[in-house]
Every structure is written in structure tokens, then in C-alpha cells.
Amino acid sequence: MRVKSGHIISRAFALAVLVLAVAVPLITLDEALADGQGSGDTTLTVESLVHATVAGDTILEIRASISPARATVGDRLLLTLTVARDYDGAVAFPRVAGEIAPFEVLDVIIHATDEHVGGVIERRQYVLAAFETGDLRLSPLAFHYVSPEGDTTTVSTDTLVVIIENTIPPEELEQGPTPKDIKPPLELKRRIWPAIVIAALVAAVLVGLFYLRRWFRSRSKVNCESEIEPEVRREAAHIAALARLAELEHEDLIGQGELPRFYLVLTDLLRRYILDRFSVDAVDMTTMELASAMCGADLAEGDVEWMLDLLTYADLSKFARHMPTSERAHGDLVAVRVFVERTRFRGLSDLGPSDLGSSGVGGEE
Amino acid sequence: MYADIKAIGERIERESEFLVTLVSEIDKVIVGQSYMVERLLIGLLADGHVLIEGVPGLAKTLAVRTLSRAIDTKFQRIQFTPDLLPADLIGTMVYTAKTGEFTTKKGPIFSNLILADEINRAPAKVQSALLEAMQERQVTIGSRTFPLDDPFLVLATQNPIEQEGTYPLPEAQVDRFMLKLRVGYPSRDEELEIMERMSKGKEPVASPVVSPETILKARDLVREIYVDDKIKQYILDIVFATRGPSEHGPDLGDLIAYGASPRASIYLIAAARAHAFLERRAYVTPEDIKAIAMDVLRHRVIITYEAEAEELTSEDIVQRILDNIEVP
């Protein structure tokens, strides 16, 4: 390609304008750096500027800079790559991500192409971080210029050096262990005797309370039982039973035809008499339970069978809506009275059935 | 009115004859354990599930299996294990590649008599699946609900020892069992007979002697058994005494944490009717109530820590209540 001399002058002028444009302070990423800056000197910037003439008369200017030039581990660094060229051709930026160890790329900002008189400026910024200390080197980055005719020329930047310092001051590092080391557990003085004594006292108090409670309970039971004087109750049992029998007879439930109620009262009367006279809890027993319990009682032969027969017949009336006959009711009333009369002193003395005369009830019939 | 009861009594006399055959058939296999066999029959007649608790080797499983064989009905024994899943019990949907459709595969619960062996060995989700089926008498697989067969009776066993690795049934779920039986050791004479029978070599097997229809018919008759108001009041006295002993019954102090639920009243009356049926009676007496009250209530009365400290069990508490409530 042939280039006229006038044209070369105009191009040189345009490049001068471009150089001025690049020299203007770059757009910084204050936001990106604001929270990542460490204790390093943020004012220093390490920079590489390369001028090259490619594809005959095309002038290319490549600027690479890292700011700040000194930082601590983990601080954010801003790598700015700027290419100034004329309108012709194209420049391929180098691959940065993964290629610039020991630096790591955290973010990339690609700026829009800035057109000026006589050429264009392309700019990319990378937010970096380094986690190693020392003088870290950013290897030369290769830019590829492709001319309108398709010829490719490679232009590289210079090596950039950034100082990354440890967060711990050097003097502390020299001293050895850091303040963050784990302290060994504190040794407690073992004094178990006071604990044993306290535990023994607590146990003694608890045991004492337990036995005190049991004693109170047993005492209250004894008191309840002592309120009832068996002798008095036994003596009164037949009197109360005979009184209720007289009352029942007086009510004349048989005559009124209220036979179920008659048997209800009669069996209740008999059960309570047995409770009072023989100390058998007949009130809380079923017919069969009562018959079984009375087997061991001091009764004449046949009394238990008679009682079982009477209570079973009464159960029919109470639980099966059976209507008893008046004759049977009269007979049972008399039989209960005879039973009460005959057993009025049973359990209180050694008197046998013969001592009280015959009654027509149970085995003595 | 008594004539009606008498008529029911006559029907009971006729229709309870199968009990003699059934019991004698069971006796061919089971020696002793009359308490357990009688309670199983009560569960069968009152349509209530039974939980049997006892140490190993007391013929719990054998009794249930024998009963099911003697009744000539569908029987399933499900061994509850820690890895059992609800689908193993109730069934699941199975994909048929030939037709490209899902079909229902019913589980072993679709039977008349279910023996849930060692129910406390399966995790809670399986127990819940079983107990839900027991309560609802139906099972839902996928989007379809299937009613369970009638009669449907679950007889579950559990072992009171070796509690490691078991999942004790929660109180709310135990409540669904009508009866909880405590099976004890046989007497000396019974054990001698067991030894003699088992040493003959051939294990005796029960034959089917009763049909499920007979059981269903007997159940209908059991429901007709007369319960007088005095008996109902007696039941209420007992149940309320478990809830507030100081107000309704003997003063048991603070020994009961939770009393029996209304389900207890329902089961008490049902089981008492079945007991009267076994006694060939057409009416319920306090004898029936006292006979079955312990089995109905022992798992429904929750005792307090104070009671435990006094080394009392729920059975002791129930017995105290029964001993101190006035019988009508």
C-alpha cells in the first residue's frame, strides 16, 4: 500500500491528538476499589506504555497500568488496558482470565470504543486480587493487530511488578506465634470434697422428706381408720338393719306392687348389714364376689347358698326387669330378718348358731 | 318387658351353641390360658380389637392362629419389624408394563383376622397405618378407598421386655384397642400337659368349626342384650372415677394423670354384653362389668410420676377404683 507524504503528516497529527486523549487520566473504578483497598499506597501506579508502527504506517499505542502498585493480600487491584489506534484495522485484546497467575480476575469492565479525531481508543479494566506476598509480576500481555489487508502483528506490553505485603506487620511475624493461636484449656483446681458433701446433704434431705411424707400418709390412714370404732359399729349393725327392715315393712312396697324397689332396698340393707357385722365390703361387691367372700365368714351352713339365691333373684329384678312375686318377696323379707337376728352377735363372741336358736334361714332350715 | 329379655335369653341359648364347639376346638391346641381365649372371644363378639401383652412363649400367637383356623376365615399374620413400611401392610399401586396402567395390589390387611405380631417392633408410621385402618375399617390406596372385610379383627401382640429398639404405642393409639390383655404363665398342671402334648411329636392343629356368618349373627344378638340404666350408671361411675377420683370415687390423690376416654364407656358396655353372651345371659350384671373392666381400662388410665414413685401400676389404680365403687 502506497502512502502519500501529506497523508502521513495528517496521520501524525491525529496520533498526537490520540496520545493526548490517552494521557488524560483514565476513568477509574472508584466503586470497585473503594471497598477493596488495603493499607497499600493507593497513589502509586505501575504502568507500561508501548508505541509500535504496524502494517506499514499505522501507529499503535498500548498502555497497561495496575493501580495501586503496592497493596496487601486480598486487596483489589485495577488493571487498565488501553489501545489507541487509527480507524483502520482491529486490535484483539489478550486473554487475561486464568492467564495472569498469581493474580486472580474478580471482575471485567469493557468500555465502549471512544472515537476521536484521527482514530479510536479501546479500553478494558480488570479488577484483580492476589493472595501471595512479595513482588508479583504480571507477564507481558500480547495484543494482536489485524490490518485491513488481513496481516497480523503482535505487540506486547512490558512486565509489570506489584508489591503485595502481608497483613501482619513484619516485626510481628519475626516474633513467632501470632496472637490468634488457640490457648490451651485452663486447668481447674479439683476440689471434689465440697461437692460430695453438698450432694450427700441434699440426698439426706430428700430421703428425709420422702420418709416424712410416708409417715404423714400412714398416720392419716391410721387416723381415718381409728375414727370408726369396730365394736360400736358391730353392736349397732343389727339394730340399724332391723330398724330399716321395720321401715321397709312399714312402707309396704310389696302391697303397693313396687317389688323391684323392694328388692333394691332389701339387698342394700343386707349388704350394709354384712359390711357392718362381718367387715366384708359387701356394698362394693357383686353377688358372686360376695358369695365367695362370705365363704370364709363365721356363718351357719347353708347361709351362703341362701344369700346367693336371694341376691341372684334380686339381680333379676334389678337388671333384667323381672317382676318378682309377692309371696317370694314376703318370704325374703322374713328370711333377712331371721338372718339378722340370728347373726346379731356373730363375730363378737364365740356363740354358735345353736346358741341363738333356729331361724328357718340357710342350713338351719 | 322381662318377656323380651327372656326371649333373647332363649335365642342366646340356641345360637351360642357354637361356642362350645369353638372352645373345645381351641382347647385341642391351647392348654390353659382360658382367660386369654375368653377375652379373644369377647373381642370377636363385641367387634373390638385386642392387644395381648406377655413374655415370649406364652402361646399368644398360637392362640390367635388357632382361633382363626377354628373360625374358617381369612387370616393373615404380619410380623412387625423395624423395616416394615405402610405399603407392606395396606398395599400399593403397581405399574403393569403390559397394559401401561397402575393396578392396586392389596396388602395383607385385607383379611378377616389379622395377627399383628410384636406390633411395637415397627415404626410409628406403620402402627399408624394399621390403627387408622382399625378405626376407619377402610383403606385408601392411591385415589381409591377400599372397605375392609367383615368381620375384621386385629389381634396384636407385644412383648413387655426387650424394649430396646422398639416403638411403644402412643396412648392415643392404644386407646383404639378394646381390650388389653396381660397373659401370665400357665399353672404347674397346665405346663405338665403342655409338655406331654408337645412331646408326642405331631403338633395338634385346630379344624374350622365355625363360619364367619355365625359370628356375625352372634354379634347382632350380642347387641340386643339388655343393659339396665343402673348398669349404665355403674359404668359411668367407674369411668368418671378414673378422671376425677376425688370427686367421683375413692380418693386416690394425685395418682392419675389422665383418665379413661369416652371410648372406654363404649367398649365397657360392648364387652360386658359379650361377656354376658358367653355366660348365656340376656342381660348385663355388675359381674360382667367387673369381669372385663380391668382389660378395658388398664391401658386407658395413665398414672402420674407420684404413682410410679409409689411403685403403683395402672392396674393397681383400676383395681382400687373397682374395689371402692358401690355396686348397684
Side-chain angles (χ1 to χ4, degrees), chain B residues 21-31 61-72 75 197-198 200-209:
Chain B
T21 325
L22 184 61
V23 171
S24 65
E25 196 63 29
I26 292 169
D27 282 348
K28 282 183 190 171
V29 181
I30 306 289
V31 180
T61 307
L62 182 64
V64 175
R65 199 192 300 141
T66 306
L67 176 69
S68 65
R69 280 186 182 156
I71 291 176
D72 188 20
F75 168 69
R197 275 197 203 181
M198 292 301 164
K200 284 177 184 169
K202 196 178 177 184
E203 205 172 304
V205 178
S207 309
V209 289

Side-chain angles (χ1 to χ4, degrees), chain A residues 214-232:
Chain A
R214 282 188 69 174
W215 180 72
F216 271 117
R217 283 195 168 191
S218 60
R219 197 178 168 214
S220 62
K221 278 179 190 169
V222 170
N223 286 343
C224 286
E225 284 163 8
S226 63
E227 283 170 12
I228 305 160
E229 293 178 20
E231 292 302 312
V232 175

Side-chain angles (χ1 to χ4, degrees), chain B residues 54-114:
Chain B
V55 293
L58 294 181
K60 301 187 293 289
T61 307
L62 182 64
V64 175
R65 199 192 300 141
T66 306
L67 176 69
S68 65
R69 280 186 182 156
I71 291 176
D72 188 20
T73 183
K74 283 188 284 178
F75 168 69
Q76 283 286 349
R77 176 178 188 258
I78 307 164
Q79 183 66 45
F80 277 53
T81 53
D83 60 346
L84 198 72
L85 294 171
D88 299 333
L89 193 72
I90 62 171
T92 188
M93 302 290 286
V94 177
Y95 181 71
T96 311
K98 212 171 188 177
T99 58
E101 290 175 349
F102 280 94
T103 52
T104 306
K105 185 178 182 298
K106 289 182 177 179
I109 204 166
F110 288 90
S111 193
N112 295 117
L113 272 179
I114 307 288

Side-chain angles (χ1 to χ4, degrees), chain A residues 271-272 275 280-287 289-290, chain B residues 234 286 290 320-328:
Chain A
R271 283 169 189 273
R272 288 187 194 285
L275 169 66
V280 172
D281 194 7
V283 176
D284 298 331
M285 286 181 179
T286 63
T287 300
E289 284 174 339
L290 179 56
Chain B
Y234 181 52
K290 275 204 168 179
R320 279 197 198 179
I321 289 170
L322 292 176
D323 288 345
N324 289 284
I325 298 262
E326 205 165 298
V327 174

Side-chain angles (χ1 to χ4, degrees), chain B residues 1 11 14 40 59 72-73 78 87 119 133 142 147 150 170 182 190 192 210 223 226 260 269 278 303 318 324:
Chain B
M1 193 61 82
R11 278 177 62 198
R14 281 197 309 274
L40 288 177
D72 188 20
T73 183
I78 307 164
I119 192 171
D150 202 16
R182 281 268 160 81
E190 288 168 349
L192 180 67
V210 179
R223 286 190 201 103
Y226 176 71
I269 207 163
L278 293 182
I303 60 172
V318 172
N324 289 284

Side-chain angles (χ1 to χ4, degrees), chain A residues 153-292:
Chain A
T153 308
T154 302
V155 180
S156 296
T157 60
D158 297 326
T159 300
L160 298 175
V161 179
V162 179
I163 300 166
I164 303 295
E165 294 172 337
N166 202 318
T167 52
I168 302 168
E171 58 272 17
E172 283 187 24
L173 278 174
E174 286 168 9
Q175 284 172 4
T178 65
K180 290 181 181 175
D181 276 356
I182 298 168
K183 289 181 181 176
L186 290 173
E187 285 285 330
L188 288 177
K189 289 180 182 175
R190 294 196 172 185
R191 295 174 62 191
I192 55 170
W193 279 111
I196 291 173
V197 170
I198 290 169
L201 282 173
V202 170
V205 169
L206 288 175
V207 169
L209 286 173
F210 176 74
Y211 279 103
L212 198 66
R213 189 178 170 214
R214 282 188 69 174
W215 180 72
F216 271 117
R217 283 195 168 191
S218 60
R219 197 178 168 214
S220 62
K221 278 179 190 169
V222 170
N223 286 343
C224 286
E225 284 163 8
S226 63
E227 283 170 12
I228 305 160
E229 293 178 20
E231 292 302 312
V232 175
R233 279 178 53 187
R234 281 184 175 187
E235 281 179 5
H238 68 281
I239 297 169
L242 289 173
R244 284 191 70 188
L245 275 171
E247 197 180 327
L248 182 63
E249 203 167 14
H250 182 71
E251 274 188 69
D252 193 23
L253 292 175
I254 302 172
Q256 292 169 24
E258 290 189 45
L259 291 164
R261 203 177 139 217
F262 167 78
Y263 271 100
L264 205 63
V265 177
L266 186 70
T267 51
D268 182 65
L269 182 157
L270 180 62
R271 283 169 189 273
R272 288 187 194 285
Y273 172 70
I274 290 169
L275 169 66
D276 292 342
R277 170 62 66 225
F278 300 97
S279 297
V280 172
D281 194 7
V283 176
D284 298 331
M285 286 181 179
T286 63
T287 300
M288 294 308 293
E289 284 174 339
L290 179 56
S292 175

Side-chain angles (χ1 to χ4, degrees), chain A residues 28-359:
Chain A
T28 56
L29 292 176
D30 292 338
E31 300 83 4
L33 291 168
D35 58 341
Q37 296 290 19
S39 58
D41 187 349
T42 58
T43 59
L44 288 175
T45 299
V46 60
E47 187 176 88
S48 159
L49 180 63
V50 178
H51 291 274
T53 305
V54 293
D57 56 350
T58 301
I59 298 171
L60 193 66
E61 185 186 285
I62 297 172
R63 184 190 292 268
S65 67
I66 298 180
S67 176
R70 180 187 288 268
T72 52
V73 172
D75 283 350
R76 293 187 182 189
L77 308 165
L78 184 67
L79 169 64
T80 306
L81 301 178
T82 310
V83 175
R85 59 175 172 81
D86 60 9
Y87 293 112
D88 298 329
V91 173
F93 274 71
R95 180 181 166 78
V96 174
E99 303 291 330
I100 56 166
F103 297 96
E104 290 180 15
V105 178
L106 303 180
D107 198 6
V108 181
I109 299 124
I110 299 172
H111 295 275
T113 304
D114 193 6
E115 293 192 5
H116 288 262
V117 179
V120 294
I121 299 171
E122 292 176 86
R123 189 181 299 124
R124 291 188 184 182
Q125 290 181 300
Y126 300 86
V127 179
L128 310 179
F131 299 96
E132 292 177 16
T133 57
D135 296 348
L136 303 187
R137 292 169 183 278
L138 179 70
S139 305
L141 301 168
F143 290 76
H144 303 286
Y145 173 78
V146 183
S147 68
E149 290 77 24
D151 299 328
T152 304
T153 308
T154 302
V155 180
S156 296
T157 60
D158 297 326
T159 300
L160 298 175
V161 179
V162 179
I163 300 166
I164 303 295
E165 294 172 337
N166 202 318
T167 52
I168 302 168
E171 58 272 17
E172 283 187 24
L173 278 174
E174 286 168 9
Q175 284 172 4
T178 65
K180 290 181 181 175
D181 276 356
I182 298 168
K183 289 181 181 176
L186 290 173
E187 285 285 330
L188 288 177
K189 289 180 182 175
R190 294 196 172 185
R191 295 174 62 191
I192 55 170
W193 279 111
I196 291 173
V197 170
I198 290 169
L201 282 173
V202 170
V205 169
L206 288 175
V207 169
L209 286 173
F210 176 74
Y211 279 103
L212 198 66
R213 189 178 170 214
R214 282 188 69 174
W215 180 72
F216 271 117
R217 283 195 168 191
S218 60
R219 197 178 168 214
S220 62
K221 278 179 190 169
V222 170
N223 286 343
C224 286
E225 284 163 8
S226 63
E227 283 170 12
I228 305 160
E229 293 178 20
E231 292 302 312
V232 175
R233 279 178 53 187
R234 281 184 175 187
E235 281 179 5
H238 68 281
I239 297 169
L242 289 173
R244 284 191 70 188
L245 275 171
E247 197 180 327
L248 182 63
E249 203 167 14
H250 182 71
E251 274 188 69
D252 193 23
L253 292 175
I254 302 172
Q256 292 169 24
E258 290 189 45
L259 291 164
R261 203 177 139 217
F262 167 78
Y263 271 100
L264 205 63
V265 177
L266 186 70
T267 51
D268 182 65
L269 182 157
L270 180 62
R271 283 169 189 273
R272 288 187 194 285
Y273 172 70
I274 290 169
L275 169 66
D276 292 342
R277 170 62 66 225
F278 300 97
S279 297
V280 172
D281 194 7
V283 176
D284 298 331
M285 286 181 179
T286 63
T287 300
M288 294 308 293
E289 284 174 339
L290 179 56
S292 175
M294 291 305 286
C295 285
D298 183 18
L299 285 174
E301 198 180 329
D303 273 357
V304 176
E305 286 76 13
W306 162 78
M307 198 180 297
L308 181 62
D309 180 56
L310 169 65
L311 293 174
T312 307
Y313 187 74
D315 281 351
L316 266 181
S317 164
K318 286 194 281 186
F319 308 124
R321 295 187 175 181
H322 172 63
M323 184 56 78
T325 59
S326 303
E327 293 74 29
R328 170 80 195 230
H330 276 297
D332 286 336
L333 182 67
V334 172
V336 170
R337 182 181 292 115
V338 170
F339 175 75
V340 172
E341 289 282 1
R342 192 164 51 79
T343 57
R344 57 195 297 174
F345 298 115
R346 198 70 80 219
L348 295 177
S349 65
D350 294 332
L351 293 172
S354 56
D355 301 319
L356 298 166
S358 61
S359 67

